[in-house]
């Protein structure tokens, strides 16, 4: 039996995906919102954790990946849009083992879960171009996380609180982001990054 933890913040999508995967006779599924995901991953034994990778700074992706690296049994499989190489890059950087396009047929998700549970890597064919573009993203995982929070309109102090950083460190990240994107300021960096599909 493959034990799956499905993490998605949109309840109707979380329930629909759980119902779909739950129909498989070799899979047992538990669904959770992002805020409950890490707690469940610590207290439940799971084989595969399916997470939406098109995330904001409040994503459980980093924490779940950290649990995976420290001995938790689960492996990460992410759902990602073809138009978001930045999200794919973040997932690659934290060690995700599988990648399924959000536009894929439901069977792709089930196949991905089985392959990742077996210890294999799985990349949906529809994500090949996005995967190539992800390697061209000049920003680090942390810089993408900081920029995502800034794109939501969060001030420096709020970004620092969310990510457990000092305000000075967030300002340093924003300076590096501005330099790496060739932007004039924070707003320009967000515009450039959205235009390139990194956010």
């Amino acid at each position: 039996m493959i034990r799956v933890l499905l993490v998605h913040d949109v309840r109707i999508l979380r329930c629909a995906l759980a119902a779909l995967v739950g129909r498989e006779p070799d899979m047992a599924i538990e669904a959770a919102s992002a805020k409950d995901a890490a707690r469940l991953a610590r207290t439940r034994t799971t084989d595969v954790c399916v997470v939406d990778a098109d995330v904001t700074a409040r994503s459980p992706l980093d924490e779940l990946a950290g649990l995976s690296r420290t001995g938790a049994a689960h492996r990460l499989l992410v759902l990602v849009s073809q138009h978001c190489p930045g999200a794919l890059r973040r997932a690659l950087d934290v060690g995700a083992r599988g990648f399924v396009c959000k536009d894929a047929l439901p069977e792709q998700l089930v196949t991905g879960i089985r392959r990742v549970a077996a210890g294999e890597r799985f990349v949906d064919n529809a994500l090949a171009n996005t995967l190539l573009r992800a390697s061209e993203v000049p920003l680090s995982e942390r810089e993408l996380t900081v920029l995502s929070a800034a794109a939501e309109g969060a001030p420096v102090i709020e970004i620092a609180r969310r990510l457990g950083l000092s305000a000075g460190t967030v300002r340093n990240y924003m300076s590096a982001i501005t330099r790496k994107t060739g932007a004039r300021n924070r707003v320009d960096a967000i515009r450039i990054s959205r235009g390139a599909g990194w956010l």
Side-chain angles (χ1 to χ4, degrees), residues 94-147:
V94 299
R97 305 282 302 165
F99 307 89
V100 175
C101 182
K102 287 184 174 183
D103 291 330
L105 294 172
E107 294 78 24
Q108 282 292 93
L109 175 59
V110 172
T111 299
I113 290 170
R114 285 191 178 108
R115 298 263 303 273
V116 169
E120 301 173 26
R121 285 198 170 272
F122 180 80
V123 179
D124 187 334
N125 290 336
L127 293 173
N129 187 40
T130 308
L131 192 58
L132 291 173
R133 287 185 12 236
S135 66
E136 299 168 359
V137 176
L139 304 177
S140 71
E141 171 194 346
R142 180 60 93 177
E143 289 165 342
L144 286 167
T145 303
V146 168
L147 189 59

Side-chain angles (χ1 to χ4, degrees), residues 5-8 34 37 49-55 59-61 64 76-80 98 100 102:
L5 174 60
L6 187 134
V7 181
H8 203 293
C49 185
V50 178
V51 183
D52 183 356
D54 296 340
V55 293
S59 167
L61 194 58
L64 290 169
L76 292 177
L77 182 145
V78 295
L79 303 173
V80 66
V100 175
K102 287 184 174 183

